[in-house]
Amino acid sequence: MDYDVVIIGGGPAGGHCGRLLSEKGYRVLLVEQHSSWQDNNFSSAASPLEILEQFNLPETVVARFWKNIEIISTSIHHFWSSPQPLGVVFDFAKLREFLAAEVLRWGGEVRLGCRYLKYQQMEDKLTVFLKSKGEEIETVNTRLLVDATGYARAVMYKHRREKPNFLKAVGIEYLIAVPELDYQKYQDNLVFFLGHKWSPKGYSWIFPMDNQQLKIGAAWLEGEHPYISEVKPLKSYITQIIQTYMNLSKYEIIDIHGSILEYSLNLQDIYYQEPNIIAIGDAVSTVNFLGGEGIRYAMKGAEIACQYMEEYLQGKSSSFAPYQQRMQEYFQPKWNLSARLSRKVYLEYSDARIDQGVSYLKYLATQDIIDVLFYYKFEKYTKGLGGFLLGKLRQWWHRIFPSQKPE
């Protein structure tokens, strides 16, 4: 079989890329190694509301809308609310299934349970070797090969030993079912935990799903910490949240899954191999390393890539160097700052310093906290610091002049 584009990986980047190119009339093959979209239902998948309109996504892929945010450290607890929904938690399986269905709707092909093995360069085409369960190895030809395999980067690096050093994070998440009264406490909230009590070297979370289900997760960065010599297994911190914070006496564990994030500092990934191999999504570090949010940016990166893929397929360009430049221009400024902040907060700060930082946040409005958490407008954080200092000044004034108001 001959294709214009073969995409390896059916995540948000690969699925959205296949959707866009098949809609334009290109012959697309989307390859996913898992036999069912439920087999890799790992992402926590919390995003701001605009993502639905931005990427033309239906509400059927949403597990739950959220309208409140809580941030909890060892000694501090803040809550922000909104009368209207502020964002969504995706059903990650339904999201990927929808994107694959869009590929099919526009005339592309999707192979589930099909593993990528290798490629061979043949003049202006590539021969790609694939293996479906119980089937013989087959080959397909393509004008473009797309690596959308996430942190595995399976196309760009033929052997794991070829990979450079990446910043690395690991996470585990429980999907649990809870009684209705317990579910009502969290059904509209995103809850984030910081500090050495809840998740040393990282953060933890509670996200609502549908059907009285919640996601409880914890993640941390790999690396040495000046204040932490030993940590318990990640699962211990999830159990602690369930038992000591949520006080759940009755719940059912539906699933336990884990994932790895490998992130290239300064975005020095391999974006392409001439003449016709290109990487998208987490294979080029589109996930934000501070908070781990990736869906919006994987899909945005796929949109950027598709512009350059079309130019190549139309014979207007023979190089993907402009693609790499555009991606780095788009992501580098805030992503570099996010990576630096993540290493400071998670691998350098004392617990008291984290508490102090979280205490500043109470002076921020709901939209401000959304801007900090989801749009990485870290300059908004200074509003919180200013409010904190103003509050301290007022306390000092009332102690010295108890009957007077400060100017």
Side-chain angles (χ1 to χ4, degrees):
M1 292 289 293
D2 287 355
Y3 297 93
D4 294 313
V5 185
V6 172
I7 302 166
I8 309 299
H16 191 47
C17 177
R19 173 198 199 187
L20 294 173
L21 292 175
S22 58
E23 185 179 1
K24 294 288 183 68
Y26 295 103
R27 294 166 298 172
V28 172
L29 173 62
L30 179 65
V31 177
E32 168 58 41
Q33 67 174 330
H34 295 281
S35 299
S36 165
W37 300 111
Q38 294 291 340
D39 290 345
N40 188 28
N41 194 15
F42 291 172
S43 174
S44 298
S47 299
L49 194 60
E50 69 171 30
I51 192 172
L52 298 181
E53 183 177 354
Q54 183 180 2
F55 298 110
N56 192 23
L57 300 173
E59 291 188 10
T60 54
V61 303
V62 175
R64 187 73 191 177
F65 288 88
W66 55 268
K67 58 184 181 181
N68 307 316
I69 290 179
E70 295 181 69
I71 298 180
I72 300 158
S73 63
T74 300
S75 303
I76 307 292
H77 185 172
H78 294 318
F79 183 90
W80 295 264
S81 63
S82 167
Q84 302 298 327
L86 296 172
V88 300
V89 179
F90 285 112
D91 183 312
F92 195 55
K94 288 182 179 179
L95 172 63
R96 292 176 297 128
E97 186 174 15
F98 165 76
L99 293 172
E102 288 284 277
V103 174
L104 294 172
R105 183 166 78 92
W106 292 109
E109 294 183 36
V110 177
R111 304 270 187 94
L112 282 171
C114 184
R115 289 193 300 118
Y116 162 81
L117 299 178
K118 64 179 181 177
Y119 69 84
Q120 286 183 353
Q121 188 75 50
M122 307 289 288
E123 297 182 356
D124 62 336
K125 288 187 178 182
L126 289 168
T127 297
V128 182
F129 293 75
L130 304 172
K131 177 73 166 64
S132 296
K133 188 175 181 179
E135 302 290 338
E136 298 291 329
I137 294 174
E138 68 169 318
T139 60
V140 298
N141 296 320
T142 183
R143 298 170 63 193
L144 270 177
L145 179 60
V146 180
D147 188 341
T149 62
Y151 84 91
R153 296 168 169 88
V155 178
M156 285 303 175
Y157 299 95
K158 293 184 178 181
H159 304 285
R160 182 172 294 273
R161 63 178 179 272
E162 296 175 353
K163 288 185 179 182
N165 291 326
F166 291 107
L167 297 179
K168 187 174 181 179
V170 295
I172 293 178
E173 190 172 60
Y174 283 27
L175 177 65
I176 66 172
V178 299
E180 176 64 26
L181 288 178
D182 291 307
Y183 180 71
Q184 289 175 2
K185 299 175 185 177
Y186 303 98
Q187 64 183 359
D188 297 320
N189 302 357
L190 297 186
V191 186
F192 297 97
F193 298 85
L194 296 169
H196 299 180
K197 174 182 179 180
W198 301 113
S199 186
K201 299 186 179 183
Y203 70 100
S204 301
W205 61 89
I206 304 171
F207 290 170
M209 300 292 286
D210 53 4
N211 301 319
Q212 293 181 211
Q213 295 178 358
L214 302 171
K215 284 188 171 182
I216 323 293
W220 59 37
L221 274 62
E222 290 195 349
E224 298 296 322
H225 196 296
Y227 299 99
I228 301 171
S229 56
E230 292 185 13
V231 293
K232 295 179 290 185
L234 274 174
K235 289 183 179 181
S236 300
Y237 299 99
I238 297 174
T239 302
Q240 178 179 251
I241 289 172
I242 292 173
Q243 294 179 350
T244 67
Y245 177 78
M246 303 175 75
N247 293 314
L248 293 181
S249 58
K250 182 180 179 181
Y251 61 94
E252 178 187 359
I253 298 177
I254 306 298
D255 188 32
I256 298 176
H257 48 256
S259 188
I260 296 172
L261 170 64
E262 289 184 341
Y263 176 89
S264 172
L265 190 62
N266 296 319
L267 302 185
Q268 296 302 306
D269 292 286
I270 297 176
Y271 284 78
Y272 63 94
Q273 293 180 12
E274 300 288 15
N276 48 5
I277 302 175
I278 183 172
I280 62 175
D282 286 357
V284 286
S285 301
T286 51
V287 66
N288 185 279
F289 200 65
L290 178 62
E293 189 198 356
I295 291 176
R296 273 190 302 162
Y297 301 108
M299 296 177 76
K300 177 61 180 179
E303 288 187 349
I304 293 172
C306 283
Q307 300 171 20
Y308 297 95
M309 291 186 208
E310 280 201 85
E311 290 182 4
Y312 176 87
L313 293 169
Q314 294 170 2
K316 296 178 180 178
S317 175
S318 60
S319 173
F320 288 106
Y323 161 64
Q324 177 174 342
Q325 181 179 352
R326 175 75 179 103
M327 288 286 284
Q328 290 177 335
E329 287 174 353
Y330 186 87
F331 286 102
Q332 233 175 16
K334 288 184 178 178
W335 263 226
N336 282 349
L337 179 56
S338 295
R340 290 197 298 271
L341 285 173
S342 68
R343 287 184 295 170
K344 275 191 169 295
V345 174
Y346 302 144
L347 294 180
E348 295 182 19
Y349 280 5
S350 67
D351 205 33
R353 181 109 182 245
I354 293 174
D355 272 346
Q356 184 181 53
V358 173
S359 71
Y360 300 157
L361 297 176
K362 75 175 182 180
Y363 299 97
L364 298 183
T366 300
Q367 186 56 53
D368 292 330
I369 204 68
I370 294 293
D371 286 342
V372 171
L373 292 179
F374 288 99
Y375 298 98
Y376 311 103
K377 296 182 179 180
F378 300 117
E379 66 275 11
K380 293 287 186 79
Y381 184 75
T382 59
K383 291 176 63 176
L385 177 58
F388 175 82
L389 295 175
L390 182 59
K392 289 294 186 183
L393 177 61
R394 286 173 175 161
Q395 292 176 14
W396 172 81
W397 183 275
H398 286 305
R399 285 199 300 270
I400 304 301
F401 306 106
S403 63
Q404 298 182 34
K405 294 183 178 181
E407 295 293 332

